[in-house]
Amino acid sequence: MSHEAQLPGDGLRRRSILLGAAAGAGALALGGTVLGGRADAATTFVKGADVSWLPQMEARGYVWKDKNGVQRDLLSILKDYGITAVSLRTWVDPSSDPANGHCGIEETAQLAQRAKNAGLQVLVGFHFGDTWNSVGVQNPPKAWSGMTYAQMLQAMYDYVYHSCNVIKYYGVTPGWIKIGNESNSGICKPTGSISKPAQMTGLLNAAYDMSKQVFPGTPVLVHLAQPQNLASVQNFLDAYRANGGRWDITGLSSYGQGGNVPGILANMKTIQAGYGKPVMQVEYGGPVGKPTQVRDSLKAFVTGIKGFGGLGTFFWEPEGYPSFNGYNSSAWDESTRRPTAALDGFLGT
């Protein structure tokens, strides 16, 4: 894989320094105020986009035009829509596949630096796998798959501590760190399955503590999918909280459209009130061929989440083109290379 930044003392074991980590750092109030966190991450509702495919698409010659047909840097165009942040995923030992690989910590940190230089905040999301983990799949990195729980716990300490230091090496302090991706059924299964809640919590707490060790003022999210299925989200959060789980923000994925949005918003509000942690919608999207529907649903989410004191909404991979990997829920028209009306949902809200 790519050369990693050489960091002083990175071989040290991390367990001893956890005792000094402030578990309460970055605590949040429901009104969306970060206590002890970065003020600029809390003062306004966050409008964001996951753009993790951007470097691989650029390397293959893809370009993006603005609504006037002028070819520009994607990040610059996104800012036209009031987007102030990007979300970037990272995998442990990914392949070189352009759509399902890359996103190792070195590449992710370089893209984070580019986003920072463009005036954007960065959310860094750990999948704790070598490729996609999601609500239906939670596979550990191949190098961790044969480990005992104790060994995996140590690997988690080391991995997150090192990864955060790579990001720091590139001069970036993330606005947010997300530990796990759509972790309803746990992480690194079977070791960190929700059926083993103490181990699941131990692994996630290790990630939380190492994030705080390097970036003490950065809020940390756990991430659950499908808030329309309230019981699934509550099942995870109940188990995590009961076992001493630490988190500052509840991240939620929802691609709901039209008449489904009000019920999803009601569940998001219930989740926020029930666990005392503000909600952030970390993934959203909809059919690229129905841009006005996607726009109106996005506007409804932004307005609704603002209304109950949630923190923000991220559009997932709006720059994607079907010819790159078949993804059809983006916000760019591949025939014109211009953004669709979908992103207009961020405007005027």
Side-chain angles (χ1 to χ4, degrees), residues 35-74:
L35 306 177
R38 300 180 63 202
D40 59 346
T43 53
T44 58
F45 188 87
V46 178
K47 299 174 183 179
D50 191 302
V51 294
S52 301
W53 276 325
L54 175 59
Q56 286 69 252
M57 293 186 73
E58 287 177 328
R60 283 154 183 81
Y62 287 96
V63 298
W64 296 267
K65 296 179 180 179
D66 64 21
K67 61 184 178 181
N68 297 315
V70 178
Q71 183 177 324
R72 291 165 50 197
D73 180 80
L74 175 72

mmCIF file of all heavy atoms in Angstrom, residues 35-74:
data_model
loop_
_atom_site.group_PDB
_atom_site.id
_atom_site.type_symbol
_atom_site.label_atom_id
_atom_site.label_comp_id
_atom_site.label_asym_id
_atom_site.label_seq_id
_atom_site.Cartn_x
_atom_site.Cartn_y
_atom_site.Cartn_z
ATOM 1 N N LEU A 35 -19.511 21.660 23.725
ATOM 2 C CA LEU A 35 -18.870 22.136 24.938
ATOM 3 C C LEU A 35 -17.445 21.612 24.972
ATOM 4 O O LEU A 35 -17.216 20.420 25.037
ATOM 5 C CB LEU A 35 -19.648 21.647 26.161
ATOM 6 C CG LEU A 35 -21.133 21.990 26.160
ATOM 7 C CD1 LEU A 35 -21.817 21.396 27.381
ATOM 8 C CD2 LEU A 35 -21.338 23.491 26.102
ATOM 9 N N GLY A 36 -16.485 22.492 24.903
ATOM 10 C CA GLY A 36 -15.105 22.064 24.880
ATOM 11 C C GLY A 36 -14.646 21.640 23.511
ATOM 12 O O GLY A 36 -13.526 21.191 23.344
ATOM 13 N N GLY A 37 -15.495 21.747 22.507
ATOM 14 C CA GLY A 37 -15.127 21.374 21.147
ATOM 15 C C GLY A 37 -14.798 22.598 20.323
ATOM 16 O O GLY A 37 -14.606 23.694 20.824
ATOM 17 N N ARG A 38 -14.730 22.413 19.021
ATOM 18 C CA ARG A 38 -14.378 23.508 18.128
ATOM 19 C C ARG A 38 -15.597 24.381 17.897
ATOM 20 O O ARG A 38 -16.623 23.926 17.417
ATOM 21 C CB ARG A 38 -13.875 22.946 16.793
ATOM 22 C CG ARG A 38 -12.651 22.082 16.934
ATOM 23 C CD ARG A 38 -12.199 21.562 15.586
ATOM 24 N NE ARG A 38 -11.805 22.661 14.721
ATOM 25 C CZ ARG A 38 -11.774 22.554 13.396
ATOM 26 N NH1 ARG A 38 -12.137 21.441 12.819
ATOM 27 N NH2 ARG A 38 -11.391 23.578 12.666
ATOM 28 N N ALA A 39 -15.511 25.639 18.254
ATOM 29 C CA ALA A 39 -16.660 26.520 18.173
ATOM 30 C C ALA A 39 -17.207 26.596 16.758
ATOM 31 O O ALA A 39 -18.413 26.623 16.545
ATOM 32 C CB ALA A 39 -16.274 27.916 18.659
ATOM 33 N N ASP A 40 -16.311 26.588 15.763
ATOM 34 C CA ASP A 40 -16.777 26.745 14.391
ATOM 35 C C ASP A 40 -17.534 25.521 13.902
ATOM 36 O O ASP A 40 -18.267 25.585 12.930
ATOM 37 C CB ASP A 40 -15.622 27.060 13.439
ATOM 38 C CG ASP A 40 -14.540 25.999 13.422
ATOM 39 O OD1 ASP A 40 -14.528 25.151 14.323
ATOM 40 O OD2 ASP A 40 -13.699 26.034 12.510
ATOM 41 N N ALA A 41 -17.389 24.401 14.595
ATOM 42 C CA ALA A 41 -18.114 23.200 14.209
ATOM 43 C C ALA A 41 -19.529 23.198 14.766
ATOM 44 O O ALA A 41 -20.313 22.320 14.440
ATOM 45 C CB ALA A 41 -17.371 21.952 14.698
ATOM 46 N N ALA A 42 -19.846 24.173 15.616
ATOM 47 C CA ALA A 42 -21.119 24.109 16.313
ATOM 48 C C ALA A 42 -22.010 25.307 16.074
ATOM 49 O O ALA A 42 -23.188 25.258 16.375
ATOM 50 C CB ALA A 42 -20.853 23.958 17.813
ATOM 51 N N THR A 43 -21.478 26.394 15.564
ATOM 52 C CA THR A 43 -22.243 27.623 15.527
ATOM 53 C C THR A 43 -23.301 27.632 14.442
ATOM 54 O O THR A 43 -24.296 28.343 14.561
ATOM 55 C CB THR A 43 -21.311 28.829 15.329
ATOM 56 O OG1 THR A 43 -20.481 28.589 14.178
ATOM 57 C CG2 THR A 43 -20.426 29.042 16.536
ATOM 58 N N THR A 44 -23.133 26.871 13.372
ATOM 59 C CA THR A 44 -24.110 26.843 12.296
ATOM 60 C C THR A 44 -24.420 25.411 11.916
ATOM 61 O O THR A 44 -23.618 24.499 12.143
ATOM 62 C CB THR A 44 -23.586 27.584 11.050
ATOM 63 O OG1 THR A 44 -22.360 26.982 10.619
ATOM 64 C CG2 THR A 44 -23.346 29.060 11.355
ATOM 65 N N PHE A 45 -25.598 25.222 11.331
ATOM 66 C CA PHE A 45 -25.987 23.910 10.829
ATOM 67 C C PHE A 45 -25.024 23.496 9.724
ATOM 68 O O PHE A 45 -24.730 24.270 8.805
ATOM 69 C CB PHE A 45 -27.406 23.991 10.287
ATOM 70 C CG PHE A 45 -27.995 22.667 9.913
ATOM 71 C CD1 PHE A 45 -28.656 21.896 10.864
ATOM 72 C CD2 PHE A 45 -27.923 22.196 8.612
ATOM 73 C CE1 PHE A 45 -29.223 20.675 10.513
ATOM 74 C CE2 PHE A 45 -28.477 20.975 8.253
ATOM 75 C CZ PHE A 45 -29.128 20.215 9.213
ATOM 76 N N VAL A 46 -24.524 22.278 9.793
ATOM 77 C CA VAL A 46 -23.510 21.799 8.856
ATOM 78 C C VAL A 46 -24.177 21.233 7.609
ATOM 79 O O VAL A 46 -25.031 20.347 7.696
ATOM 80 C CB VAL A 46 -22.619 20.730 9.515
ATOM 81 C CG1 VAL A 46 -21.592 20.214 8.517
ATOM 82 C CG2 VAL A 46 -21.948 21.281 10.759
ATOM 83 N N LYS A 47 -23.785 21.739 6.466
ATOM 84 C CA LYS A 47 -24.196 21.179 5.179
ATOM 85 C C LYS A 47 -22.953 20.572 4.546
ATOM 86 O O LYS A 47 -21.959 21.275 4.326
ATOM 87 C CB LYS A 47 -24.804 22.261 4.291
ATOM 88 C CG LYS A 47 -26.056 22.897 4.890
ATOM 89 C CD LYS A 47 -26.552 24.071 4.063
ATOM 90 C CE LYS A 47 -27.768 24.721 4.727
ATOM 91 N NZ LYS A 47 -28.260 25.891 3.949
ATOM 92 N N GLY A 48 -22.992 19.274 4.290
ATOM 93 C CA GLY A 48 -21.778 18.594 3.867
ATOM 94 C C GLY A 48 -21.995 17.614 2.735
ATOM 95 O O GLY A 48 -23.120 17.374 2.288
ATOM 96 N N ALA A 49 -20.884 17.041 2.267
ATOM 97 C CA ALA A 49 -20.912 16.033 1.209
ATOM 98 C C ALA A 49 -19.764 15.062 1.410
ATOM 99 O O ALA A 49 -18.645 15.481 1.720
ATOM 100 C CB ALA A 49 -20.787 16.693 -0.168
ATOM 101 N N ASP A 50 -20.055 13.773 1.263
ATOM 102 C CA ASP A 50 -18.983 12.779 1.206
ATOM 103 C C ASP A 50 -18.433 12.785 -0.208
ATOM 104 O O ASP A 50 -19.177 12.632 -1.177
ATOM 105 C CB ASP A 50 -19.512 11.396 1.557
ATOM 106 C CG ASP A 50 -18.386 10.383 1.760
ATOM 107 O OD1 ASP A 50 -17.589 10.184 0.807
ATOM 108 O OD2 ASP A 50 -18.302 9.794 2.839
ATOM 109 N N VAL A 51 -17.130 12.975 -0.341
ATOM 110 C CA VAL A 51 -16.489 13.039 -1.666
ATOM 111 C C VAL A 51 -15.291 12.099 -1.739
ATOM 112 O O VAL A 51 -14.302 12.367 -2.411
ATOM 113 C CB VAL A 51 -16.066 14.487 -2.015
ATOM 114 C CG1 VAL A 51 -17.285 15.374 -2.180
ATOM 115 C CG2 VAL A 51 -15.111 15.067 -0.971
ATOM 116 N N SER A 52 -15.381 10.960 -1.081
ATOM 117 C CA SER A 52 -14.237 10.055 -0.988
ATOM 118 C C SER A 52 -13.809 9.482 -2.331
ATOM 119 O O SER A 52 -12.655 9.065 -2.491
ATOM 120 C CB SER A 52 -14.556 8.915 -0.018
ATOM 121 O OG SER A 52 -14.857 9.407 1.270
ATOM 122 N N TRP A 53 -14.710 9.444 -3.321
ATOM 123 C CA TRP A 53 -14.331 8.949 -4.643
ATOM 124 C C TRP A 53 -13.571 9.989 -5.473
ATOM 125 O O TRP A 53 -13.066 9.664 -6.556
ATOM 126 C CB TRP A 53 -15.575 8.557 -5.435
ATOM 127 C CG TRP A 53 -16.082 7.175 -5.147
ATOM 128 C CD1 TRP A 53 -15.339 6.066 -4.867
ATOM 129 C CD2 TRP A 53 -17.454 6.752 -5.160
ATOM 130 N NE1 TRP A 53 -16.159 4.976 -4.680
ATOM 131 C CE2 TRP A 53 -17.458 5.368 -4.861
ATOM 132 C CE3 TRP A 53 -18.668 7.405 -5.396
ATOM 133 C CZ2 TRP A 53 -18.647 4.628 -4.786
ATOM 134 C CZ3 TRP A 53 -19.846 6.674 -5.323
ATOM 135 C CH2 TRP A 53 -19.824 5.303 -5.022
ATOM 136 N N LEU A 54 -13.527 11.214 -5.019
ATOM 137 C CA LEU A 54 -12.999 12.296 -5.848
ATOM 138 C C LEU A 54 -11.609 12.017 -6.427
ATOM 139 O O LEU A 54 -11.417 12.149 -7.653
ATOM 140 C CB LEU A 54 -13.003 13.612 -5.050
ATOM 141 C CG LEU A 54 -12.382 14.832 -5.719
ATOM 142 C CD1 LEU A 54 -13.072 15.162 -7.034
ATOM 143 C CD2 LEU A 54 -12.438 16.034 -4.766
ATOM 144 N N PRO A 55 -10.600 11.641 -5.643
ATOM 145 C CA PRO A 55 -9.267 11.445 -6.235
ATOM 146 C C PRO A 55 -9.229 10.350 -7.289
ATOM 147 O O PRO A 55 -8.542 10.488 -8.316
ATOM 148 C CB PRO A 55 -8.385 11.092 -5.028
ATOM 149 C CG PRO A 55 -9.128 11.585 -3.838
ATOM 150 C CD PRO A 55 -10.577 11.437 -4.186
ATOM 151 N N GLN A 56 -9.960 9.257 -7.044
ATOM 152 C CA GLN A 56 -9.957 8.158 -7.998
ATOM 153 C C GLN A 56 -10.683 8.537 -9.288
ATOM 154 O O GLN A 56 -10.302 8.105 -10.394
ATOM 155 C CB GLN A 56 -10.609 6.921 -7.373
ATOM 156 C CG GLN A 56 -9.733 6.223 -6.341
ATOM 157 C CD GLN A 56 -9.543 7.056 -5.077
ATOM 158 O OE1 GLN A 56 -8.449 7.584 -4.846
ATOM 159 N NE2 GLN A 56 -10.580 7.202 -4.268
ATOM 160 N N MET A 57 -11.731 9.315 -9.172
ATOM 161 C CA MET A 57 -12.433 9.776 -10.366
ATOM 162 C C MET A 57 -11.572 10.761 -11.160
ATOM 163 O O MET A 57 -11.477 10.664 -12.393
ATOM 164 C CB MET A 57 -13.775 10.402 -9.979
ATOM 165 C CG MET A 57 -14.769 9.402 -9.408
ATOM 166 S SD MET A 57 -16.410 10.115 -9.100
ATOM 167 C CE MET A 57 -17.025 10.272 -10.786
ATOM 168 N N GLU A 58 -10.927 11.679 -10.465
ATOM 169 C CA GLU A 58 -10.040 12.621 -11.154
ATOM 170 C C GLU A 58 -8.921 11.890 -11.879
ATOM 171 O O GLU A 58 -8.560 12.255 -13.008
ATOM 172 C CB GLU A 58 -9.454 13.613 -10.156
ATOM 173 C CG GLU A 58 -10.443 14.645 -9.651
ATOM 174 C CD GLU A 58 -9.848 15.566 -8.617
ATOM 175 O OE1 GLU A 58 -8.958 15.128 -7.851
ATOM 176 O OE2 GLU A 58 -10.276 16.730 -8.539
ATOM 177 N N ALA A 59 -8.382 10.854 -11.232
ATOM 178 C CA ALA A 59 -7.281 10.108 -11.838
ATOM 179 C C ALA A 59 -7.708 9.404 -13.123
ATOM 180 O O ALA A 59 -6.858 9.089 -13.968
ATOM 181 C CB ALA A 59 -6.733 9.090 -10.832
ATOM 182 N N ARG A 60 -8.997 9.186 -13.269
ATOM 183 C CA ARG A 60 -9.521 8.531 -14.469
ATOM 184 C C ARG A 60 -10.146 9.519 -15.442
ATOM 185 O O ARG A 60 -10.859 9.128 -16.366
ATOM 186 C CB ARG A 60 -10.504 7.437 -14.055
ATOM 187 C CG ARG A 60 -9.750 6.213 -13.548
ATOM 188 C CD ARG A 60 -10.525 5.355 -12.580
ATOM 189 N NE ARG A 60 -9.649 4.279 -12.128
ATOM 190 C CZ ARG A 60 -8.734 4.411 -11.168
ATOM 191 N NH1 ARG A 60 -8.563 5.569 -10.551
ATOM 192 N NH2 ARG A 60 -7.967 3.394 -10.823
ATOM 193 N N GLY A 61 -9.887 10.798 -15.229
ATOM 194 C CA GLY A 61 -10.258 11.808 -16.204
ATOM 195 C C GLY A 61 -11.631 12.427 -16.049
ATOM 196 O O GLY A 61 -12.056 13.215 -16.903
ATOM 197 N N TYR A 62 -12.339 12.102 -14.988
ATOM 198 C CA TYR A 62 -13.654 12.705 -14.781
ATOM 199 C C TYR A 62 -13.513 14.179 -14.396
ATOM 200 O O TYR A 62 -12.573 14.564 -13.686
ATOM 201 C CB TYR A 62 -14.417 11.961 -13.687
ATOM 202 C CG TYR A 62 -14.919 10.606 -14.125
ATOM 203 C CD1 TYR A 62 -14.192 9.444 -13.850
ATOM 204 C CD2 TYR A 62 -16.115 10.487 -14.828
ATOM 205 C CE1 TYR A 62 -14.647 8.197 -14.261
ATOM 206 C CE2 TYR A 62 -16.582 9.238 -15.236
ATOM 207 C CZ TYR A 62 -15.838 8.110 -14.947
ATOM 208 O OH TYR A 62 -16.296 6.877 -15.368
ATOM 209 N N VAL A 63 -14.472 14.981 -14.849
ATOM 210 C CA VAL A 63 -14.495 16.409 -14.533
ATOM 211 C C VAL A 63 -15.912 16.796 -14.136
ATOM 212 O O VAL A 63 -16.881 16.057 -14.399
ATOM 213 C CB VAL A 63 -14.032 17.279 -15.728
ATOM 214 C CG1 VAL A 63 -12.589 16.966 -16.111
ATOM 215 C CG2 VAL A 63 -14.966 17.105 -16.926
ATOM 216 N N TRP A 64 -16.028 17.966 -13.510
ATOM 217 C CA TRP A 64 -17.313 18.479 -13.074
ATOM 218 C C TRP A 64 -17.437 19.931 -13.508
ATOM 219 O O TRP A 64 -16.479 20.703 -13.423
ATOM 220 C CB TRP A 64 -17.448 18.371 -11.554
ATOM 221 C CG TRP A 64 -17.449 16.947 -11.096
ATOM 222 C CD1 TRP A 64 -18.523 16.144 -10.881
ATOM 223 C CD2 TRP A 64 -16.300 16.130 -10.829
ATOM 224 N NE1 TRP A 64 -18.134 14.890 -10.504
ATOM 225 C CE2 TRP A 64 -16.762 14.854 -10.462
ATOM 226 C CE3 TRP A 64 -14.924 16.361 -10.859
ATOM 227 C CZ2 TRP A 64 -15.912 13.811 -10.138
ATOM 228 C CZ3 TRP A 64 -14.068 15.331 -10.537
ATOM 229 C CH2 TRP A 64 -14.564 14.051 -10.174
ATOM 230 N N LYS A 65 -18.629 20.274 -13.949
ATOM 231 C CA LYS A 65 -18.923 21.654 -14.308
ATOM 232 C C LYS A 65 -19.928 22.223 -13.316
ATOM 233 O O LYS A 65 -20.690 21.483 -12.687
ATOM 234 C CB LYS A 65 -19.490 21.718 -15.735
ATOM 235 C CG LYS A 65 -18.505 21.257 -16.790
ATOM 236 C CD LYS A 65 -19.110 21.312 -18.189
ATOM 237 C CE LYS A 65 -18.109 20.845 -19.240
ATOM 238 N NZ LYS A 65 -18.696 20.877 -20.610
ATOM 239 N N ASP A 66 -19.933 23.546 -13.198
ATOM 240 C CA ASP A 66 -20.929 24.177 -12.342
ATOM 241 C C ASP A 66 -22.233 24.346 -13.111
ATOM 242 O O ASP A 66 -22.357 23.927 -14.271
ATOM 243 C CB ASP A 66 -20.404 25.486 -11.766
ATOM 244 C CG ASP A 66 -20.113 26.554 -12.825
ATOM 245 O OD1 ASP A 66 -20.653 26.467 -13.949
ATOM 246 O OD2 ASP A 66 -19.338 27.487 -12.520
ATOM 247 N N LYS A 67 -23.222 24.978 -12.485
ATOM 248 C CA LYS A 67 -24.541 25.071 -13.116
ATOM 249 C C LYS A 67 -24.525 25.927 -14.379
ATOM 250 O O LYS A 67 -25.436 25.838 -15.206
ATOM 251 C CB LYS A 67 -25.552 25.637 -12.118
ATOM 252 C CG LYS A 67 -25.250 27.020 -11.598
ATOM 253 C CD LYS A 67 -26.267 27.427 -10.558
ATOM 254 C CE LYS A 67 -25.955 28.791 -9.977
ATOM 255 N NZ LYS A 67 -26.945 29.173 -8.923
ATOM 256 N N ASN A 68 -23.456 26.739 -14.544
ATOM 257 C CA ASN A 68 -23.310 27.554 -15.743
ATOM 258 C C ASN A 68 -22.499 26.867 -16.835
ATOM 259 O O ASN A 68 -22.228 27.472 -17.881
ATOM 260 C CB ASN A 68 -22.663 28.888 -15.395
ATOM 261 C CG ASN A 68 -23.523 29.708 -14.455
ATOM 262 O OD1 ASN A 68 -24.740 29.816 -14.643
ATOM 263 N ND2 ASN A 68 -22.906 30.265 -13.413
ATOM 264 N N GLY A 69 -22.067 25.636 -16.575
ATOM 265 C CA GLY A 69 -21.311 24.889 -17.571
ATOM 266 C C GLY A 69 -19.826 25.158 -17.555
ATOM 267 O O GLY A 69 -19.111 24.765 -18.485
ATOM 268 N N VAL A 70 -19.332 25.790 -16.496
ATOM 269 C CA VAL A 70 -17.903 26.101 -16.382
ATOM 270 C C VAL A 70 -17.218 24.982 -15.597
ATOM 271 O O VAL A 70 -17.611 24.683 -14.453
ATOM 272 C CB VAL A 70 -17.681 27.450 -15.680
ATOM 273 C CG1 VAL A 70 -16.192 27.735 -15.539
ATOM 274 C CG2 VAL A 70 -18.375 28.568 -16.448
ATOM 275 N N GLN A 71 -16.203 24.361 -16.181
ATOM 276 C CA GLN A 71 -15.467 23.306 -15.487
ATOM 277 C C GLN A 71 -14.643 23.914 -14.369
ATOM 278 O O GLN A 71 -13.866 24.840 -14.582
ATOM 279 C CB GLN A 71 -14.556 22.566 -16.463
ATOM 280 C CG GLN A 71 -13.810 21.393 -15.838
ATOM 281 C CD GLN A 71 -12.982 20.632 -16.852
ATOM 282 O OE1 GLN A 71 -13.389 20.474 -18.003
ATOM 283 N NE2 GLN A 71 -11.807 20.173 -16.439
ATOM 284 N N ARG A 72 -14.820 23.380 -13.154
ATOM 285 C CA ARG A 72 -14.121 23.901 -11.977
ATOM 286 C C ARG A 72 -13.776 22.752 -11.042
ATOM 287 O O ARG A 72 -14.228 21.621 -11.208
ATOM 288 C CB ARG A 72 -15.009 24.917 -11.241
ATOM 289 C CG ARG A 72 -15.241 26.219 -11.973
ATOM 290 C CD ARG A 72 -16.410 27.007 -11.379
ATOM 291 N NE ARG A 72 -16.319 27.152 -9.926
ATOM 292 C CZ ARG A 72 -17.366 27.494 -9.160
ATOM 293 N NH1 ARG A 72 -18.562 27.721 -9.701
ATOM 294 N NH2 ARG A 72 -17.213 27.611 -7.852
ATOM 295 N N ASP A 73 -12.994 23.077 -10.037
ATOM 296 C CA ASP A 73 -12.698 22.106 -8.983
ATOM 297 C C ASP A 73 -13.992 21.754 -8.257
ATOM 298 O O ASP A 73 -14.795 22.632 -7.911
ATOM 299 C CB ASP A 73 -11.684 22.692 -8.003
ATOM 300 C CG ASP A 73 -11.353 21.722 -6.882
ATOM 301 O OD1 ASP A 73 -10.544 20.815 -7.111
ATOM 302 O OD2 ASP A 73 -11.928 21.869 -5.777
ATOM 303 N N LEU A 74 -14.202 20.464 -8.033
ATOM 304 C CA LEU A 74 -15.445 20.016 -7.416
ATOM 305 C C LEU A 74 -15.699 20.706 -6.076
ATOM 306 O O LEU A 74 -16.826 21.126 -5.790
ATOM 307 C CB LEU A 74 -15.417 18.501 -7.222
ATOM 308 C CG LEU A 74 -16.621 17.936 -6.469
ATOM 309 C CD1 LEU A 74 -17.869 17.974 -7.343
ATOM 310 C CD2 LEU A 74 -16.347 16.532 -5.969
#
